[in-house]
Amino acid sequence: MSSFYIGVDIGGTNVVCGLVDAQGRVLHTVKQPTGAQRGSGAVLRGVADLIERLAQEAGHALHSTAAVGVGTPGLVDPQRGITLHASNLGWKDVPVAAILAEHLRLPVYIDNDVRMYVYGEATAGAGRGYGTVMGITLGTGMAMSVIQNGTIYYGAHYMAGELGHLAMDGIPYRCACGLSGCLETVVSATGIVRQVRDALAKGEASSLGRIPSDQLTAAAVSEAYDAGDPLAVRVFNDTGRWLGIGLSYAITLFDPDVLIIGGGMSAAGERLFRPMKEQLQKTLLGSYLERLVIAPARHPDHAGVIGSAMSAKSRHAAQQPVTEE
């Protein structure tokens, strides 16, 4: 059997493909815009072309690839290989695995992109060697996954881990999902910007008021924090506090060995994690915290590619017949 796998991370903005060896090492990657507005058929044809380009650039015979793994946003049925609903792509009931398998003539396995990110960290990153790995990604939204002894916890309907849609008292914002008070409406890059805009609209003084509202970013709020801007400091403290409260629920339920934090907003570092840890000290039993390792993602740019490839490796091996020597 070939010891090479291809991992694909389909995002709302870009698609990244990587050639990965059996140990989870990324040998070569390629990237291109997703172009979701073109529709699922065009996007997946583009993914197939990108995979062929990857093989060519890496000097790898595509037909010798053991399997392809793909992470897509949204609600995914990994057993049927269907992306059931991905709002940021505009997809509904798209048979991703079947379409790509027909294009590539290779086995294709799909799963949710955040699960693949955390799986990559669990198998070849910051979670390697731990039994129970909990990972969260913080970006335009917030999501979580749990891997126990190499197995992804899905729940009954592939919906486990939607921590960002935990509705909490005290959060005033309505979420795109239809609920009010979802954690990700504040604990996300968009959530930080939303809180700042709300405060500025109410007349709160801040250097951030000099930035046009439509140009305000979480990065700008981070810079203002470093300059001592009171509003930026308060927003990060509030966001970290909310994150700590949400994580205290998840940690109590799953009792992980390690908590891995990734996604673009994790670059905020201690601006966010200091108040998060302070809140965990207040709302989590000490016996959880004293044994919990909190770590940043080791492969922030390629964890999704690694996870997709390593998941394809595991699932493909499970389908191979056992032969006697």
Side-chain angles (χ1 to χ4, degrees):
M1 180 186 295
S2 172
S3 57
F4 295 99
Y5 303 84
I6 289 174
V8 182
D9 187 2
I10 300 178
T13 304
N14 293 302
V15 177
V16 182
C17 298
L19 181 65
V20 180
D21 69 14
Q23 286 71 49
R25 291 178 295 229
V26 178
L27 306 177
H28 189 75
T29 62
V30 291
K31 177 179 177 180
Q32 70 182 19
T34 305
Q37 73 280 358
R38 299 176 298 152
S40 61
V43 170
L44 293 175
R45 283 193 299 274
V47 170
D49 291 342
L50 188 63
I51 289 172
E52 291 175 354
R53 183 181 126 201
L54 169 72
Q56 183 177 19
E57 288 187 11
H60 171 72
L62 184 60
H63 64 82
S64 68
T65 304
V68 176
V70 182
T72 82
L75 181 59
V76 176
D77 183 335
Q79 296 306 314
R80 293 192 294 154
I82 297 173
T83 297
L84 301 172
H85 180 71
S87 58
N88 61 341
L89 296 177
W91 291 6
K92 184 175 175 59
D93 296 329
V94 178
V96 175
I99 291 171
L100 286 178
E102 183 177 358
H103 279 299
L104 300 169
R105 303 299 176 187
L106 289 170
V108 177
Y109 305 88
I110 76 162
D111 213 315
N112 168 267
D113 58 347
V114 173
R115 291 196 185 100
M116 294 297 89
Y117 186 102
V118 178
Y119 193 82
E121 287 293 328
T123 54
R128 189 169 188 170
Y130 292 98
T132 301
V133 178
M134 175 184 290
I136 63 169
T137 58
L138 303 172
T140 53
M142 174 189 184
M144 184 191 86
S145 183
V146 174
I147 317 293
Q148 187 166 38
N149 298 322
T151 300
I152 299 171
Y153 181 75
Y154 289 103
H157 306 99
Y158 307 111
M159 295 180 69
E162 291 291 347
L163 187 63
H165 294 290
L166 180 65
M168 301 178 68
D169 290 340
I171 296 178
Y173 304 110
R174 189 163 181 83
C175 182
C177 76
L179 296 174
S180 292
C182 284
L183 190 58
E184 76 171 25
T185 65
V186 290
V187 183
S188 59
T190 50
I192 282 180
V193 171
R194 178 184 290 113
Q195 292 175 77
V196 170
R197 284 176 177 159
D198 194 29
L200 291 172
K202 293 176 181 176
E204 191 165 339
S206 170
S207 62
L208 292 163
R210 297 194 293 265
I211 301 175
S213 181
D214 61 349
Q215 296 177 29
L216 188 62
T217 64
V221 182
S222 291
E223 292 177 5
Y225 177 104
D226 293 341
D229 183 89
L231 173 58
V233 171
R234 180 180 67 75
V235 165
F236 265 111
N237 285 341
D238 288 348
T239 303
R241 179 175 61 83
W242 283 116
L243 176 58
I245 293 171
L247 285 174
S248 68
Y249 299 153
I251 291 166
T252 300
L253 289 171
F254 290 102
D255 186 24
D257 293 303
V258 60
L259 167 65
I260 299 169
I261 301 176
M265 210 182 89
S266 64
E270 287 302 304
R271 304 178 189 93
L272 182 65
F273 301 146
R274 179 190 52 76
M276 175 199 80
K277 292 171 185 175
E278 289 174 356
Q279 184 62 44
L280 287 174
Q281 293 281 355
K282 296 176 183 177
T283 51
L284 198 62
L285 283 174
S287 52
Y288 287 108
L289 268 182
E290 65 190 21
R291 292 177 290 190
L292 178 66
V293 175
I294 300 176
R298 186 173 299 168
H299 304 292
D301 296 327
H302 293 139
V305 166
I306 296 169
S308 295
M310 298 303 281
S311 175
K313 173 190 171 185
S314 176
R315 293 173 65 183
H316 189 58
Q319 294 185 4
Q320 300 308 299
V322 177
T323 58
E324 295 183 1
E325 296 186 4

